[in-house]
Amino acid sequence: MRGTQIQFPQERVIFGSPLAEALETEMAALGVARVFVMCSGTLSRKTPVIADLKKALGARFVGLFDQMPAHSPRSALLKAAALARAAKPDLILSVGGGSSIDGAKMIQLMLAEDIHAHADFDAFHMRLGDGGGLVNPGFRAGMIRQIAVPTTLSGAEFTTTAGSVDDMAHKKDLYVGPYLVPVAVILDPAIARHTDDGLWYSTAVRAIDHAVESIYSPKANPFTDATCMHGLRMMQEALRGTRRDGDDLEARLNAQMAVWLSTTGMGRGQHGASHGISYSLSAIAHVPHGHCSCVLLPATLRFNAGWTGERHALIAELLGRPGVDPADALLELLHELSQPTTLREVGVTRDQLPWIARTVVASGHASGNPRPVEREEDIMAILETAW
């Protein structure tokens, strides 16, 4: 066994404390004077969360962007970056789901590299190199940092990767750098109670996807085995708990903690075809990440059967259904959570499938799958099962 487990420069995860209390401690620890907030429009306009946050920040609050669409498209990022530049922050605070957190990561990058136009992004995203491997062009260190307050279960707060849709080329690009990971994460289940149930459960499936694709990854190691296996078991139990009682804050916090555990393989080469296809599916068919995992992970589990050894049966056991095929165990949980299970249900048209397959192969994003997916036919086999 050989490998490297990279530890990201994330200093603290604060869990269970009220947001205002945890935030005051973090502001003092970091010596922050000017805070720019990235948040969802729902939190900003339909809940008291952001108004209360502004009061807690006081004079430190210097600006807000609350209009980030799903998948953080370049056009919206350019608007957000213009506001952030004018605010001259020394910290970005994100409150919301993956789009807010990834959007904040991209603002970090844009301020560091002085990105002002659509074409300026192209020098910095991951791409397929001449030798067939993924190439990361990198970018400057020394960027301002982010504190993330997640309200969904997507896990963006624990990775060094930011995703953004090129809304002219209709593809999703990935940007990877160590200091994109938030310097601190605040897990407050009371804030997360404002999240719509459908979004809560669909993003939870994204976390399940993180855990599963780490568990059967060819690059799995004892550290990620321990965290992701426990995270997967903890997640399905926590989701069933919040399903019984949406106001059960202990179950909600357990789900947030399960995300933390389940994400330890992400950004370290441990994702496969479900993740790799989802980037193209989201950019081409505008499917939210959580729903991407709902429809792709069962099909990917079936595709990988026979290539993942004893891990195949283990995944079903961790999902609470020992002895059942893991794809069926996952589908059972998805039905319990009232989530979609086919591409048709999320609005994908059959004519989009070859386009998605071509884009996945060209990107190389599925290259970590345990069963090779080097040809468009391989991707189409998964898509046809998911259809």
Side-chain angles (χ1 to χ4, degrees):
M1 180 169 56
R2 297 172 63 114
T4 301
Q5 178 71 14
I6 302 168
Q7 301 300 345
F8 300 154
Q10 187 167 77
E11 296 180 6
R12 287 172 297 283
V13 177
I14 303 97
F15 47 92
S17 297
L19 174 57
E21 175 187 316
L23 196 56
E24 182 58 37
T25 301
E26 286 306 298
M27 297 291 102
L30 296 170
V32 171
R34 301 178 64 82
V35 179
F36 185 81
V37 177
M38 297 277 292
C39 67
S40 72
T42 300
L43 279 176
S44 178
R45 293 184 282 275
K46 296 184 179 181
T47 78
V49 170
I50 302 306
D52 292 344
L53 179 63
K54 289 180 183 179
K55 291 178 185 176
L57 289 173
R60 293 188 179 109
F61 174 78
V62 296
L64 170 77
F65 186 82
D66 63 359
Q67 301 175 53
M68 186 60 65
H71 310 301
S72 309
R74 291 184 182 186
S75 55
L77 288 170
L78 290 168
K79 295 175 183 176
L83 291 175
R85 278 193 189 90
K88 296 181 172 60
D90 53 15
L91 181 99
I92 300 174
L93 175 64
S94 62
V95 188
S99 294
S100 295
I101 296 168
D102 269 11
K105 291 177 183 179
M106 291 302 298
I107 298 306
Q108 291 176 257
L109 168 58
M110 294 170 75
L111 297 182
E113 290 290 354
D114 206 27
I115 292 175
H116 286 269
H118 191 280
D120 294 344
F121 291 87
D122 290 332
F124 303 105
H125 62 71
M126 299 281 285
R127 67 205 61 189
L128 201 60
D130 294 337
L134 285 173
V135 175
N136 181 9
F139 34 85
R140 297 176 193 174
M143 58 181 62
I144 63 173
R145 299 298 297 275
Q146 172 188 178
I147 291 177
V149 184
T151 60
T152 72
L153 301 170
S154 68
E157 62 274 14
F158 295 114
T159 76
T160 60
T161 301
S164 170
V165 165
D166 176 342
D167 38 5
M168 293 179 71
H170 302 290
K171 63 185 181 72
K172 188 158 189 175
D173 298 315
L174 301 181
Y175 303 78
V176 182
Y179 289 95
L180 292 183
V181 72
V183 65
V185 176
I186 298 172
L187 302 177
D188 182 351
I191 299 294
R193 185 63 190 93
H194 292 285
T195 302
D196 171 78
D197 284 349
L199 182 60
W200 180 255
Y201 293 122
S202 69
T203 56
V205 181
R206 190 64 172 173
I208 288 171
D209 202 349
H210 295 336
V212 168
E213 294 220 307
S214 292
I215 290 167
Y216 66 43
S217 169
K219 294 185 178 181
N221 63 59
F223 177 81
T224 55
D225 282 352
T227 52
C228 293
M229 288 178 188
H230 185 53
L232 181 54
R233 190 189 303 277
M234 193 174 181
M235 179 61 84
Q236 59 91 3
E237 291 172 351
L239 293 178
R240 288 175 165 126
T242 58
R243 188 73 169 169
R244 287 190 297 270
D245 180 3
D247 292 320
D248 184 344
L249 293 187
E250 183 177 357
R252 204 163 282 270
L253 180 59
N254 282 341
Q256 292 180 311
M257 299 288 277
V259 172
W260 183 12
L261 291 165
S262 299
T263 312
T264 53
M266 292 299 99
R268 299 172 174 97
Q270 290 182 259
H271 70 250
S274 181
H275 279 75
I277 299 171
S278 75
Y279 300 131
S280 295
L281 180 61
S282 63
I284 291 170
H286 310 293
V287 179
H289 272 319
H291 286 165
C292 286
S293 292
C294 290
V295 300
L296 289 173
L297 185 56
T300 304
L301 280 163
R302 296 202 195 282
F303 180 81
N304 286 330
W307 291 73
T308 52
E310 63 184 15
R311 303 286 170 117
H312 194 70
L314 176 62
I315 289 165
E317 179 187 332
L318 295 169
L319 286 168
R321 298 291 281 129
V324 174
D325 183 276
D328 293 332
L330 178 58
L331 287 169
E332 182 181 313
L333 178 60
L334 291 173
H335 289 309
E336 282 184 49
L337 302 177
S338 302
Q339 293 302 302
T341 58
T342 67
L343 289 168
R344 294 191 302 278
E345 289 177 81
V346 295
V348 180
T349 58
R350 180 169 282 280
D351 63 298
Q352 291 175 315
L353 302 188
W355 184 10
I356 292 166
R358 286 194 302 273
T359 307
V360 175
V361 172
S363 72
H365 288 156
S367 58
N369 198 63
R371 178 178 173 182
V373 283
E374 299 168 348
R375 306 168 303 158
E376 291 177 22
E377 299 95 295
D378 300 322
I379 305 299
M380 284 297 295
I382 297 172
L383 292 173
E384 289 289 354
T385 301
W387 176 253

